[in-house]
């Protein structure tokens, strides 16, 4: 695996003659890699000739400077986890991505103002800005995004359509610990005891899902039953618990199509998000 720190060496690496006419699978990440990231990289390996991974903790998508300062960085470990699966690792600095004078941002629309966007204003514009830059630098055939960040996956799919970018966006299933806890770089900031407590998120999601599968269709009732479970964990503070249509993220009073149940909140000072999709059976 080649490691490139700047845009020009990365371009040389992937646009070099040996890589011509080959398909490129791209996985943007912020590092502190785990089996969730690895599942995206493995899928890209199966479906493309060349696999490019980026690690960049993008300051423009952090709405809380403490969260940015505390974001885990484990480059050596990351390299050993992926060096046999990926071909190229791109690890630019913030100055490389946003040189002096940088003055443009992607503005994402309605999808970025609701659910997660309500609590992190500007987050999705920052994310879309760096993703667009990375897409332009790498020109991937396919880009892989985890449904763990469901709204991010929807927004990227939308802006690729809106801007006619010739890139296929692939959504990948969430990888979980045996306990059900969704793997996340932020989990490393939780003690073993806190990780156990964080399983309350998946317990609540599973209860919501089984309510719907058993025919309950009143959103308020499902949310109430889920909130009861979350409230039993004193260390957990819910930020939102929402049930949205999977296709356009619209909100209804009853379940009448495929939905995604989304939860965000804090366990101590660590912010966690998770979701499950539920197929609608008429
Ligand atoms: P991040 O490094 O957190 O920005 O994540 C990079 C990519 O990995 C995003 O597309 C995430 O949705 C995806 N990802 C993170 N955690 C998981 C997980 N547990 N399962 C599947 N994909 C994940």
């Amino acid at each position: 695996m080649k490691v490139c720190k700047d845009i020009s060496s990365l371009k040389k690496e992937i646009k070099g003659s040996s890589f011509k006419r080959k398909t490129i699978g791209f996985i943007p990440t912020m590092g502190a890699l785990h089996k969730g990231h690895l599942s995206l990289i493995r899928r890209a390996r199966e479906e493309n000739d060349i696999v490019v991974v980026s690690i960049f903790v993008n300051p423009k998508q952090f709405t809380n400077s403490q969260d940015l300062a505390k974001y885990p960085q484990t480059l050596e470990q990351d390299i050993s986890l992926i060096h046999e699966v990926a071909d190229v690792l791109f690890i630019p600095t913030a100055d490389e991505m946003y040189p002096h004078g940088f003055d443009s941002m992607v503005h994402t629309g309605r999808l970025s103002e609701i659910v997660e966007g309500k609590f992190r204003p500007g987050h999705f514009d920052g994310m879309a800005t760096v993703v667009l830059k990375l897409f332009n630098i790498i020109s991937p055939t396919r880009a892989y995004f985890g449904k763990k960040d469901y709204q991010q996956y929807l927004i990227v799919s939308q802006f690729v359509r809106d801007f006619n970018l010739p890139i296929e966006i692939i959504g990948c299933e969430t990888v979980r610990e045996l306990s059900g806890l969704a793997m996340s770089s932020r989990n490393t900031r939780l003690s073993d005891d806190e990780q156990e407590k964080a399983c309350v998120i998946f317990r609540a999601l599973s209860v919501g899902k089984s309510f719907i599968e058993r025919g309950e269709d009143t959103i308020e009732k499902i949310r109430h039953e889920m909130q009861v479970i979350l409230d039993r964990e004193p260390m957990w503070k819910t930020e939102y618990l929402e049930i949205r249509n999977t296709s356009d993220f619209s909100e209804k009073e009853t379940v009448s199509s495929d939905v995604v149940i989304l939860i965000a909140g804090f366990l101590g000072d660590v912010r966690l998000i998770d979701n499950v999709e539920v197929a609608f059976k008429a």
Side-chain angles (χ1 to χ4, degrees):
M1 182 177 76
K2 287 264 188 238
V3 179
C4 300
K5 294 186 175 164
D6 54 68
I7 296 168
S8 63
S9 63
L10 174 75
K11 281 192 164 171
K12 250 186 241 150
E13 196 55 46
I14 55 181
K15 301 237 163 90
S17 54
S18 61
F19 289 165
K20 281 234 169 91
R21 289 171 203 267
K22 297 202 167 169
T23 54
I24 298 178
F26 172 50
I27 306 94
T29 82
M30 298 202 299
L33 302 181
H34 49 68
K35 286 183 190 153
H37 297 109
L38 200 55
S39 71
L40 274 56
I41 301 170
R42 289 214 169 104
R43 172 127 183 229
R45 177 80 283 160
E46 283 167 17
E47 298 177 353
N48 302 275
D49 300 319
I50 311 293
V51 175
V52 180
V53 176
S54 66
I55 294 179
F56 179 59
V57 183
N58 175 31
K60 291 204 186 292
Q61 72 188 65
F62 281 79
T63 47
N64 175 330
S65 58
Q66 279 302 305
D67 193 26
L68 173 61
K70 286 186 191 161
Y71 202 84
Q73 307 223 18
T74 57
L75 185 59
E76 290 305 310
Q77 243 174 271
D78 293 351
I79 290 176
S80 62
L81 187 68
I82 65 168
H83 77 281
E84 283 178 353
V85 201
D87 300 300
V88 182
L89 173 63
F90 181 44
I91 45 168
T93 60
D95 284 344
E96 180 73 3
M97 292 301 278
Y98 304 117
H100 181 69
F102 182 90
D103 195 27
S104 302
M105 289 292 286
V106 174
H107 175 57
T108 52
R110 178 192 71 89
L111 273 178
S112 64
E113 285 155 16
I114 53 180
V115 193
E116 183 78 357
K118 253 202 237 163
F119 292 88
R120 303 180 77 190
H123 164 70
F124 287 117
D125 284 359
M127 178 280 293
T129 300
V130 82
V131 167
L132 181 63
K133 280 178 70 80
L134 290 165
F135 282 178
N136 284 332
I137 294 164
I138 293 159
S139 302
T141 318
R142 302 182 185 89
Y144 296 79
F145 288 83
K147 290 191 187 171
K148 155 84 166 51
D149 300 282
Y150 203 90
Q151 202 168 349
Q152 168 172 280
Y153 159 63
L154 282 189
I155 290 170
V156 171
S157 303
Q158 176 82 43
F159 90 69
V160 161
R161 270 197 308 279
D162 289 348
F163 293 138
N164 308 93
L165 303 181
I167 300 166
E168 191 183 344
I169 302 301
I170 315 269
C172 304
E173 297 309 317
T174 300
V175 177
R176 301 178 178 281
E177 304 286 356
L178 281 177
S179 63
L181 179 65
M183 291 193 183
S184 164
S185 307
R186 289 186 170 88
N187 293 354
T188 58
R189 291 179 49 208
L190 299 172
S191 66
D192 288 350
D193 179 48
E194 287 170 332
Q195 291 214 12
E196 215 168 278
K197 293 191 158 119
C199 295
V200 73
I201 310 168
F202 187 64
R203 273 206 302 281
L205 288 170
S206 303
V207 163
K209 182 172 173 160
S210 69
F211 260 83
I212 297 171
E213 285 173 344
R214 278 187 275 129
E216 177 58 63
D217 67 352
T218 308
I219 300 268
E220 220 22 72
K221 177 126 195 276
I222 301 160
R223 291 182 61 203
H224 172 76
E225 297 297 339
M226 292 176 65
Q227 192 61 57
V228 167
I229 292 170
L230 292 170
D231 289 346
R232 276 193 213 132
E233 176 45 65
M235 269 191 84
W236 172 258
K237 297 272 166 301
T238 306
E239 235 180 20
Y240 62 76
L241 161 48
E242 299 231 21
I243 302 178
R244 298 266 172 168
N245 281 359
T246 45
S247 52
D248 61 0
F249 241 41
S250 61
E251 196 178 21
K252 300 267 158 44
E253 285 180 7
T254 54
V255 177
S256 54
S257 65
D258 293 353
V259 292
V260 54
I261 313 176
L262 307 108
I263 293 180
F266 285 89
L267 199 96
D269 67 346
V270 181
R271 188 171 187 276
L272 299 171
I273 63 170
D274 197 0
N275 67 80
V276 293
E277 289 175 286
V278 191
F280 177 63
K281 290 187 211 96

